[in-house]
């Protein structure tokens, strides 16, 4: 048996998220279907995260186990891509040890959220970025982002319906940048709660507008009250941008 780790990217617009669900088509479903078509066997595919409906991934990892020995790793890439829709692509295939787990062995993840300023909708940007009708206050948002860094109980920045009871997470880095009329919110941490990044972005927008102060982050954290944080921004601007693993012989021998 071989355990293979796929590095993929996808446009999440047409999917109900990564995880197989009864109410829609998921990215995981499409990967499983492609593997069945290629290998002729049902294969359990485990992802590194559970991205929500409409969320994209520039870098996503999933692993599966197969008894097929005839197709090399490079061959898997081309063979799977011809069986996948155009909005999902396999970038790499790596053989890993039997105990490797795409989710539990991840050391951290980096998400980005894209926004753009325009008084009117830009049809070329609007599908993958959130439009803001006035320019944002980079200085205020950057001050807010500095407060986000560290280990906190993010209960107030999680949506109802989360499946975890431990809401403490560590954020290693958080920043906000501008490139002309385009904005990017970047956050890196050891894990994220349901809708956590989208709520943080919504809170950052409230800080920019002056509805909240950058230092209000601490008060919101201490309150554990979701109602005190900003709105949950739409999913189409959110991307899982990078997943971190320790690439040692134990996992990638």
């Amino acid at each position: 048996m071989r355990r293979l780790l796929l590095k993929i990217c996808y446009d999440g617009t047409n999917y109900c998220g990564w995880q197989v669900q009864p109410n829609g088509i998921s990215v995981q479903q499409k990967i499983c279907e492609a593997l069945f078509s290629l290998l002729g066997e049902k294969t359990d595919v485990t992802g590194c995260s559970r991205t929500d409906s409409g969320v994209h991934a520039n870098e996503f990892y999933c692993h599966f186990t197969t008894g097929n020995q005839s197709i090399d790793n490079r061959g898997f890439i081309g063979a799977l891509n011809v069986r996948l829709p155009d909005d999902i692509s396999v970038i790499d295939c790596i053989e890993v040890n039997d105990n490797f787990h795409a989710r539990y062995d991840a050391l951290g993840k980096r998400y980005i959220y894209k926004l753009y300023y325009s008084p009117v909708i830009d049809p070329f940007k609007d599908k993958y970025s959130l439009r803001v009708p006035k320019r944002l206050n980079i200085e205020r948002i950057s001050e807010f982002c500095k407060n986000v860094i560290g280990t906190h109980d993010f209960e107030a920045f999680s949506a109802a319906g989360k499946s975890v009871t431990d809401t403490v997470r560590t954020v290693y880095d958080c920043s906000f940048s501008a490139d002309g009329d385009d904005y990017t919110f970047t956050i890196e941490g050891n894990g994220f709660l349901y809708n956590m990044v989208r709520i943080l972005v919504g809170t950052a927008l409230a800080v920019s507008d002056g509805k909240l102060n950058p230092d209000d982050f601490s008060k919101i954290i201490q309150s554990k009250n979701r109602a005190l944080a900003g709105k949950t921004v739409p999913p189409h601007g959110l991307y899982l941008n990078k997943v971190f693993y320790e690439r040692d012989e134990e996992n990638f021998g």
Side-chain angles (χ1 to χ4, degrees), residues 124 176 212 241 246:
F124 298 103
F176 196 81
L212 291 171
N241 205 48
E246 186 174 352

Side-chain angles (χ1 to χ4, degrees), residues 217-239:
F217 173 79
S218 296
K219 298 177 184 177
I220 298 170
I221 284 289
Q222 292 171 8
S223 73
K224 298 186 179 182
N225 185 350
R226 169 67 187 92
L228 297 184
K231 296 180 179 179
T232 304
V233 294
H236 67 279
L238 183 60
Y239 301 72

